[in-house]
Amino acid sequence: MSVRSDSYREKSGTKKYIMKETKHYNSDTILSSSKYGNSFMYEQDQQLQRRRIKKLQWFFVLMLILGYVTATLAQTGMKDIELKATSEFEPTIKDAIKLGDLPEIKDTVKKIANINYGITSTPLVSKYEVIPIDAAKMQNEPLSKLYHSLLKVGMGTYTTPYGEFWINSLRTRDVAYGVHFKHLSSSSHLKEVGYSGYSDNEGEIFGKKFYKKHTLTGEFNYKRNVTHFYGYDSTMNHLDKDYTRQRYQLFEPVVKVQSHYTDSTKINHFIKAGYYNLTDLYHVAENNVKLNTVFNTYINKERLFVAFDADYYNHKLPHDTFNDVIVKLNPYFETHGKKWMLDIGLAATLDAFSNQKSAKFYFHPQLNAQFDVYEGILIPYAGVNGGLQKNSLRSLSNENPASYSVVDSMHFFAVDYTQNGTLDNQYKVLYDNTNLFNVSGQVKYQYKEKIHFIAKGNYYMYKTKNLVRAYHKPDFDLTFSAQYNLKSKIILKADIFVIGNQFALTQVRDNEYNYTTQPKLLKGIVDVNLGAEYRYSKMLSFFVNFNNIANTRYYRWEKYPSQRFNLMAGLTFIPF
């Protein structure tokens, strides 16, 4: 837009136009002003200016019309006056120069090409300085300290001294050796029966030599057990205790060799050779030379075992001597899965008894299976097995020290009413062909080293061929044992032993003083024992045991009552 202002002056009778300055205002100047913040405000301002211009234009038009009307009316009422003016000046009016500039709206937002965005990071320097830590080194769990010796002594009711002593080598890679001694005796005299004192003594020396792939072990065992045939009526018979005394003495050297091959193609083996001599005070002696071997290797994924045993027995009785050789070969396969295990095989046995005209051969199947039903807690197992069991002086005396005879067969104990007049205090062994059905089971629970619990039991069903009853063979037995460890400071123990009903062969007399034998029922037995140990330190502890806390007088063997409630207290000490 432009505005031009013209004015004139008269000078020397002439009229001249004097051109005054012209100012031009460019719309860019207005647009560039900071007065308008955006295009919308600018547009409103322009529209306001246009309205003002139109109003001025209409005002000037109206004024021109009014002026023309006034002039016309004025000339109508006047005489015509002719005026002439002469001048050399010829006024000319230049054509108006129209400005073609139109208002333009320019966007204040400008496009900027090739914009790169980024973050210029400035490191923040912390005032905290990290102190470097040395890398941790893996170490094996520290080995527990071993001691050379252990002494355990105690004293109980019924005048029962107890002592046990161990001496062992410390931890080495090449050899291990030790010595063990034990003594337990009693001077009890039970009511209405003979002197029931006993004495059990044991001694053991052993040594081991460790090789790269084998272990060689040697040991020597000695046992001396003294007992008394106290199963008689002391109100009718007054006997010296030496008269009923019995003593068993055992000497046993043993040598073992065991391999430790890790290569499955190798044949691992275990070989044991031993000898023992057992004697008693009634001129009975037994010598045994025994060889036990087991070889095993893998065939594909199954494991093959071959067991070979050879026993030679020499029995010396007061009026007779006989020998017996038993040879056994038992190959079997063992296979297993994630939760099950199975072994199947065959056992062949040769029995060459000196009193027999010819050797006897026995063949027995072997089949055992087990399945882990629940996390090693519930494992049912079943098996079919057979074999030849040797009834020796050693095995029978360990079971019933009141027996004195040896018979090679399924054995049953019965009071011998033909010896020692009216004492009837010794047992004899009866034998018979017998079928035995046995079901056994075991449950074990352990929580860390704090709680231990185990329960096991057996059910027996005997079917004898000639005997009326399976004498002194209970129909079942149960064992419950529990241990509670309180921070390795106080140890509590509990044991419950249950033996079912059994029969004994007893003598009865009728009104005419005739004596006969018949079965007699012996009621079941329940024996409850409790024990506690207080560990004062690693070197010293104290213990107390309560046996037969129900204070019952039961009979495991006819005529031989057990001790009632008895107590033993003592200490355990590490001398060096």
Side-chain angles (χ1 to χ4, degrees):
M1 178 183 291
S2 62
V3 180
R4 183 178 62 187
S5 176
D6 296 336
S7 63
Y8 65 91
R9 295 181 182 177
E10 294 184 358
K11 184 178 179 181
S12 302
T14 63
K15 297 179 180 179
K16 294 183 179 179
Y17 289 93
I18 300 174
M19 302 300 294
K20 302 181 76 173
E21 64 177 337
T22 301
K23 294 182 180 181
H24 298 275
Y25 297 92
N26 195 310
S27 61
D28 292 341
T29 306
I30 299 174
L31 288 175
S32 62
S33 174
S34 60
K35 177 180 179 180
Y36 304 101
N38 49 48
S39 59
F40 176 74
M41 296 176 62
Y42 171 77
E43 182 65 25
Q44 287 184 337
D45 188 69
Q46 291 297 316
Q47 290 179 1
L48 181 60
Q49 290 183 9
R50 283 194 292 269
R51 285 194 296 268
R52 289 176 181 175
I53 292 172
K54 287 182 179 181
K55 288 180 180 180
L56 290 175
Q57 289 176 351
W58 283 107
F59 177 74
F60 284 121
V61 171
L62 182 61
M63 292 300 293
L64 288 175
I65 294 173
L66 290 177
Y68 176 75
V69 173
T70 303
T72 302
L73 292 176
Q75 291 178 0
T76 303
M78 297 180 62
K79 295 180 176 180
D80 295 334
I81 299 176
E82 184 179 355
L83 297 175
K84 293 183 180 179
T86 60
S87 176
E88 296 179 355
F89 175 75
E90 294 180 359
T92 60
I93 300 175
K94 294 182 179 180
D95 294 334
I97 299 174
K98 298 180 179 180
L99 298 177
D101 294 337
L102 297 177
E104 296 179 0
I105 299 175
K106 292 185 178 181
D107 194 354
T108 58
V109 179
K110 297 181 179 181
K111 295 182 179 180
I112 303 174
N114 300 326
I115 298 176
N116 296 323
Y117 294 95
I119 298 175
T120 303
S121 61
T122 302
L124 179 62
V125 179
S126 175
K127 296 181 179 180
Y128 176 77
E129 295 183 359
V130 179
I131 301 175
I133 301 176
D134 295 336
K137 297 180 180 179
M138 297 297 294
Q139 295 182 352
N140 295 330
E141 185 178 351
L143 298 175
S144 58
K145 184 178 180 179
L146 298 181
Y147 297 93
H148 280 287
S149 62
L150 178 66
L151 175 64
K152 194 172 184 179
V153 295
M155 189 68 182
T157 55
Y158 295 100
T159 317
T160 306
Y162 162 72
E164 202 162 1
F165 183 59
W166 294 265
I167 300 178
N168 297 281
S169 62
L170 298 181
R171 189 179 291 110
T172 62
R173 293 181 178 270
D174 299 328
V175 295
Y177 54 87
V179 179
H180 172 226
F181 300 102
K182 180 181 178 180
H183 171 81
L184 177 65
S185 62
S186 177
S187 302
S188 62
H189 199 145
L190 303 180
K191 186 178 180 181
E192 298 178 354
V193 294
Y195 177 74
S196 59
Y198 64 88
S199 175
D200 295 332
N201 300 276
E202 299 180 15
E204 176 187 6
I205 301 175
F206 70 90
K208 290 184 179 181
K209 175 64 176 179
F210 303 104
Y211 297 94
K212 187 175 181 180
K213 297 294 182 180
H214 290 81
T215 299
L216 176 64
T217 304
E219 60 185 54
F220 181 82
N221 301 315
Y222 172 77
K223 292 184 179 181
R224 185 177 184 274
N225 305 105
V226 177
T227 186
H228 291 80
F229 301 132
Y230 66 92
Y232 63 91
D233 189 351
S234 61
T235 61
M236 299 177 60
N237 300 278
H238 302 280
L239 303 174
D240 186 85
K241 62 181 181 181
D242 291 337
Y243 183 79
T244 60
R245 185 171 179 265
Q246 169 65 300
R247 183 211 65 206
Y248 297 98
Q249 187 167 246
L250 173 74
F251 298 90
E252 182 183 26
V254 178
V255 177
K256 305 175 187 177
V257 177
Q258 184 173 4
S259 65
H260 306 287
Y261 294 123
T262 56
D263 188 351
S264 60
T265 62
K266 297 286 187 179
I267 300 178
N268 273 303
H269 48 271
F270 171 79
I271 302 174
K272 176 182 177 181
Y275 164 81
Y276 72 77
N277 171 262
L278 177 64
T279 59
D280 71 354
L281 293 180
Y282 289 82
H283 307 290
V284 177
E286 181 175 82
N287 295 280
N288 172 243
V289 179
K290 189 172 185 178
L291 175 67
N292 302 101
T293 63
V294 178
F295 302 89
N296 69 87
T297 188
Y298 283 91
I299 299 179
N300 295 327
K301 294 183 179 180
E302 283 69 38
R303 199 173 185 182
L304 172 64
F305 289 83
V306 178
F308 176 79
D309 299 335
D311 286 2
Y312 168 75
Y313 292 90
N314 171 257
H315 304 273
K316 293 183 178 180
L317 301 177
H319 305 290
D320 195 7
T321 300
F322 56 90
N323 303 304
D324 190 14
V325 177
I326 299 176
V327 179
K328 179 181 178 182
L329 180 64
N330 177 210
Y332 62 96
F333 279 96
E334 180 184 280
T335 183
H336 61 86
K338 187 176 181 180
K339 288 182 173 285
W340 58 272
M341 180 178 290
L342 174 70
D343 65 79
I344 181 171
L346 178 68
T349 307
L350 178 147
D351 183 15
F353 195 66
S354 61
N355 291 354
Q356 298 173 350
K357 295 181 179 180
S358 61
K360 293 184 178 181
F361 291 89
Y362 304 92
F363 297 93
H364 302 93
Q366 175 181 328
L367 178 61
N368 299 287
Q370 65 181 43
F371 183 79
D372 186 357
V373 176
Y374 180 70
E375 296 183 356
I377 298 176
L378 182 61
I379 306 178
Y381 54 90
V384 178
N385 296 278
L388 179 65
Q389 180 178 352
K390 176 67 177 180
N391 293 325
S392 64
L393 175 63
R394 184 178 186 179
S395 63
L396 295 177
S397 62
N398 287 337
E399 184 177 350
N400 180 7
S403 64
Y404 75 98
S405 60
V406 178
V407 180
D408 184 22
S409 185
M410 171 68 78
H411 64 282
F412 303 93
F413 296 102
V415 175
D416 188 357
Y417 293 100
T418 63
Q419 298 289 332
N420 294 337
T422 60
L423 291 180
D424 301 330
N425 61 341
Q426 294 187 15
Y427 273 76
K428 63 181 178 180
V429 180
L430 305 177
Y431 66 97
D432 195 5
N433 294 331
T434 306
N435 294 327
L436 170 61
F437 176 74
N438 171 232
V439 178
S440 61
Q442 178 174 302
V443 176
K444 181 180 180 181
Y445 173 77
Q446 178 176 345
Y447 177 70
K448 298 181 179 179
E449 295 296 328
K450 190 173 184 179
I451 298 176
H452 296 260
F453 175 79
I454 185 171
K456 57 184 178 180
N458 288 278
Y459 170 75
Y460 307 96
M461 186 169 64
Y462 297 91
K463 186 177 180 180
T464 57
K465 182 178 181 180
N466 299 310
L467 296 177
V468 178
R469 297 287 184 178
Y471 300 118
H472 286 292
K473 300 291 185 181
D475 52 5
F476 72 90
D477 61 67
L478 299 172
T479 301
F480 303 92
S481 298
Q483 178 177 306
Y484 178 74
N485 187 334
L486 182 59
K487 297 182 179 180
S488 296
K489 201 69 175 178
I490 299 177
I491 311 297
L492 302 178
K493 301 178 181 179
D495 298 297
I496 302 176
F497 302 99
V498 182
I499 299 178
N501 295 335
Q502 57 183 329
F503 285 89
L505 184 62
T506 188
Q507 188 180 66
V508 295
R509 185 186 67 179
D510 58 17
N511 295 331
E512 297 180 358
Y513 293 93
N514 295 320
Y515 291 91
T516 59
T517 57
Q518 64 181 29
K520 175 185 177 181
L521 178 64
L522 300 181
K523 294 183 179 181
I525 299 168
V526 178
D527 194 345
V528 181
N529 304 321
L530 297 176
E533 179 183 0
Y534 171 67
R535 296 177 178 175
Y536 179 77
S537 67
K538 292 184 177 180
M539 309 291 288
L540 179 64
S541 64
F542 303 90
F543 68 90
V544 58
N545 296 323
F546 306 92
N547 301 318
N548 193 6
I549 61 175
N551 197 31
T552 59
R553 189 182 190 186
Y554 57 82
Y555 290 81
R556 176 62 181 90
W557 307 101
E558 187 191 13
K559 293 181 173 286
Y560 284 84
S562 68
Q563 294 180 347
R564 293 181 181 270
F565 171 78
N566 60 86
L567 176 150
M568 176 174 287
L571 59 87
T572 302
F573 177 65
I574 298 177
F576 54 89

